[in-house]
Amino acid sequence: MVVFNPIRILVVDDEESIRRLMEKELNSMRRNVCSADSARHALELIERQQFDVIVLDIRLPDGDGIDLLEKFKQAIPDVEVILITGYGNVENAVEAMKLGAYDYITKPFTLDRVELVVEKAYQRVCLQRQNRLLRHTQTYHPLPQFVGRSSGVEHIQYLIEKVAPTNVPVLITGESGAGKDVIASAIHYRSQRAEQPLIIKNCGTLQKELMRSELFGYCKGAFTGANETNDGLITLAHEGTLFLDEIGELPLEVQAALLRVLETQTYRRIGDKYERQVDVRFLFATNRNLVEEARIGNFHEALYHRLNVFQINIPPLRERKEDIPLLVEYFLGLLGSGACPCRVSKSVMQCLMNYAWPGNVRELRNVIERGIILAENGIISESALPRELTQQSDSATTDVPLIPLTELEKRHIRRVMEWVDGNRSQAAGILGIGRKTLYRKLKEYELA
Ligand SMILES: Nc1ncnc2c1ncn2[C@@H]1O[C@H](COP(=O)(O)OP(=O)(O)OP(=O)(O)O)[C@@H](O)[C@H]1O
Ligand SMILES: [Mg+2]
């Protein structure tokens, strides 16, 4: 389902007839019009409410429209301003466009003209927003599959179906590469927010000092270098989902601010006087033990309890080896050429089943990707596997040293003698032979 948000329009004009006309005629299912009769009133409104397009009279009793235009542009990151100007003021309007106004309308105007300019301005607002979102969102298959058939995975699939349609925050835990990102996107794309942005941020990649501003945004002048007002990820994820990975990396004070967002659905930009409403579904992931982190004071305890309302824990791959054949098949289909997919030989499947997968599913995926490149005649054989996978099974199943028994005996006696530092009585005891026999063998094998 595609949800269209109404265009939020602010009309700033001291002429009551114009305000009334716009409120009456522009307001519709698609447009939400609000008005202000002075510069002061307009500034008050934008501090509390979000707008997409502002229609601004260039002359106001308590201020100059051009000054106001600059203030709007500074305070609201993606807003387009359309000026209304009298005949004699066109030059001012042109000047204003150089300062960032989208267009101007001269009085007297028709409503059709206003509608047209507002719609075009809104398209630009959407484009700018989308560009910004694209820098944060990732492209995923619309319905990411959490593949597996072990009881652990079946339970996870059940939890995803249950929790996805709600707004409850979810904490996803599991070792690196186990599939936390897959679960987060599976939840998002099965929720009613699927058409809205899924923003993913790895808190471990953010500099500590920047985390707060990245999440909450900031107002112009809030700190050195804050040259303009900027939205944070929480604002960008409005009506969508914000997935914060490695949540354990957030500094404690940012954790406290985040807890407030979870509890009240309001947030405050750095340097802002006002709290703003926001509608975001939060997903979190960590491969740290948050209980332990909370115990030693590294993690906000109340936030942990808020996150822990719904937890999905992914067992490591080594504990659900029955998922391996299905995952192998899935990756062969996903990564191979569609027409004639590769397959793995029996002994390769044995190696895959014997291996401990410290890098979990990610490592398995990489192994299959490499295997597909090295496959001969569509078959991935042992020579296409990384060494660590084949070595394991060599020693477990196929390591038969092809040497004579006497050579094996000689090597074994040498190793035992080294181990006991040349103590012959001890060596004879370990080898289970008499001392005399040992002397004889040492001589025979020239080990004495
Ligand atoms: N059950 C699964 N079904 C399909 N693909 C999976 C599954 N689990 C993991 N993957 C794949 O394995 C890779 C690693 O998964 P993912 O990025 O979700 O791991 P992670 O737990 O988030 O790791 P990290 O802690 O390093 O961020 C991805 O390519 C993902 O598509
Ligand atoms: Mg991840």
Side-chain angles (χ1 to χ4, degrees):
M1 184 183 59
V2 182
V3 184
F4 291 103
N5 299 319
I7 312 174
R8 295 162 298 184
I9 303 167
L10 173 63
V11 176
V12 191
D13 202 310
D14 56 328
E15 265 184 64
E16 198 190 342
S17 57
I18 291 193
R19 289 198 310 274
R20 265 214 256 130
L21 178 77
M22 300 254 205
E23 277 185 359
K24 187 157 169 272
E25 300 297 329
L26 283 185
N27 240 331
S28 66
M29 286 280 284
R30 215 182 122 52
R31 290 187 292 258
N32 214 328
V33 182
C34 208
S35 71
D37 58 2
S38 62
R40 193 182 52 80
H41 186 195
L43 289 172
E44 272 171 20
L45 278 176
I46 63 155
E47 282 189 323
R48 258 165 274 194
Q49 268 172 264
Q50 295 275 356
F51 293 100
D52 306 307
V53 179
I54 300 179
V55 182
L56 168 66
D57 188 352
I58 212 161
R59 274 205 189 162
L60 289 166
D62 62 340
D64 174 41
I66 295 195
D67 285 348
L68 207 52
L69 162 76
E70 286 192 296
K71 284 185 182 145
F72 288 154
K73 285 290 210 184
Q74 283 166 6
I76 317 173
D78 311 296
V79 74
E80 290 300 343
V81 180
I82 299 161
L83 296 162
I84 303 179
T85 166
Y87 242 149
N89 270 327
V90 171
E91 268 175 26
N92 278 357
V94 173
E95 193 55 33
M97 286 189 62
K98 287 186 198 149
L99 293 171
Y102 176 73
D103 203 348
Y104 65 91
I105 301 170
T106 41
K107 280 186 204 167
F109 51 79
T110 63
L111 269 172
D112 284 352
R113 165 98 177 114
V114 180
E115 265 181 43
L116 183 76
V117 180
V118 165
E119 286 290 338
K120 282 169 93 181
Y122 182 61
Q123 275 174 18
R124 185 146 109 186
V125 170
C126 291
L127 265 180
Q128 281 166 355
R129 264 184 213 150
Q130 226 158 17
N131 279 346
R132 224 129 54 81
L133 274 175
L134 280 176
R135 270 184 265 136
H136 295 287
T137 44
Q138 319 207 343
T139 31
Y140 271 108
H141 187 276
L143 262 190
Q145 297 299 322
F146 196 70
V147 177
R149 60 171 167 226
S150 59
S151 56
V153 167
E154 274 178 4
H155 184 58
I156 289 172
Q157 287 159 345
Y158 167 79
L159 293 178
I160 293 173
E161 293 304 328
K162 282 284 188 195
V163 81
T166 72
N167 277 328
V168 170
V170 181
L171 175 63
I172 308 163
T173 54
E175 288 181 8
S176 179
K180 298 185 289 298
D181 281 55
V182 185
I183 292 189
S185 46
I187 293 175
H188 172 75
Y189 287 111
R190 279 166 181 77
S191 76
Q192 280 156 357
R193 298 167 182 260
E195 299 287 340
Q196 305 292 339
L198 164 65
I199 295 190
I200 299 176
K201 194 75 210 175
N202 186 333
C203 304
T205 62
L206 285 173
Q207 270 178 281
K208 283 216 162 24
E209 312 75 56
L210 296 181
M211 285 185 189
R212 199 189 188 105
S213 58
E214 180 92 9
L215 283 180
F216 295 87
Y218 52 86
C219 292
K220 183 179 175 187
F223 47 81
T224 337
N227 297 328
E228 55 183 20
T229 297
N230 220 325
D231 277 340
L233 296 178
I234 290 176
T235 321
L236 288 177
H238 182 57
E239 295 182 332
T241 305
L242 180 55
F243 170 35
L244 295 178
D245 203 350
E246 291 193 32
I247 182 71
E249 300 297 321
L250 278 188
L252 279 170
E253 73 273 11
V254 183
Q255 290 177 23
L258 190 62
L259 176 62
R260 199 167 155 67
V261 184
L262 285 165
E263 284 179 338
T264 63
Q265 285 80 50
T266 57
Y267 73 103
R268 196 194 289 262
R269 287 188 188 133
I270 302 177
D272 202 347
K273 276 190 282 182
Y274 296 99
E275 297 230 302
R276 290 164 197 271
Q277 281 286 328
V278 76
D279 169 22
V280 174
R281 205 270 176 87
F282 284 92
L283 303 175
F284 303 97
T286 181
N287 43 31
R288 288 206 201 172
N289 179 345
L290 291 187
V291 182
E292 182 54 21
E293 296 284 308
R295 197 188 60 79
I296 57 175
N298 283 347
F299 200 82
H300 197 298
E301 202 170 335
L303 178 62
Y304 173 71
H305 291 303
R306 188 80 188 88
L307 302 190
N308 202 29
V309 171
F310 203 98
Q311 192 186 127
I312 297 184
N313 178 256
I314 318 171
L317 188 56
R318 65 183 168 277
E319 287 175 17
R320 48 182 172 102
K321 288 199 166 170
E322 60 270 47
D323 289 338
I324 293 175
L326 208 63
L327 282 164
V328 169
E329 204 179 305
Y330 171 70
F331 289 132
L332 286 173
L334 186 75
L335 307 168
S337 74
C340 48
C342 288
R343 56 188 186 82
V344 300
S345 71
K346 251 190 178 167
S347 63
V348 163
M349 186 54 88
Q350 202 52 52
C351 296
L352 301 177
M353 295 298 281
N354 287 340
Y355 187 57
W357 300 109
N360 288 294
V361 186
R362 179 180 292 118
E363 190 180 6
L364 174 61
R365 183 192 158 116
N366 293 345
V367 165
I368 299 297
E369 195 163 13
R370 177 179 194 270
I372 292 173
I373 298 168
L374 298 176
E376 298 287 352
N377 301 321
I379 296 176
I380 301 175
S381 53
E382 276 187 58
S383 58
L385 293 182
R387 271 186 62 199
E388 59 273 23
L389 268 95
T390 47
Q391 269 173 351
Q392 281 213 346
S393 71
D394 277 357
S395 53
T397 55
T398 57
D399 189 8
V400 179
L402 302 175
I403 49 173
L405 201 54
T406 47
E407 177 60 25
L408 204 62
E409 188 179 56
K410 178 181 167 185
R411 285 188 197 177
H412 187 55
I413 293 173
R414 188 197 294 133
R415 283 178 69 189
V416 172
M417 286 298 286
E418 279 166 9
W419 200 73
V420 297
D421 260 347
N423 184 324
R424 294 179 180 187
S425 310
Q426 228 182 327
I430 290 171
L431 290 166
I433 52 177
R435 279 174 56 186
K436 278 194 180 156
T437 316
L438 178 62
Y439 285 159
R440 187 169 47 77
K441 287 188 184 281
L442 287 174
K443 223 171 153 190
E444 191 180 323
Y445 294 133
E446 297 175 333
L447 295 173

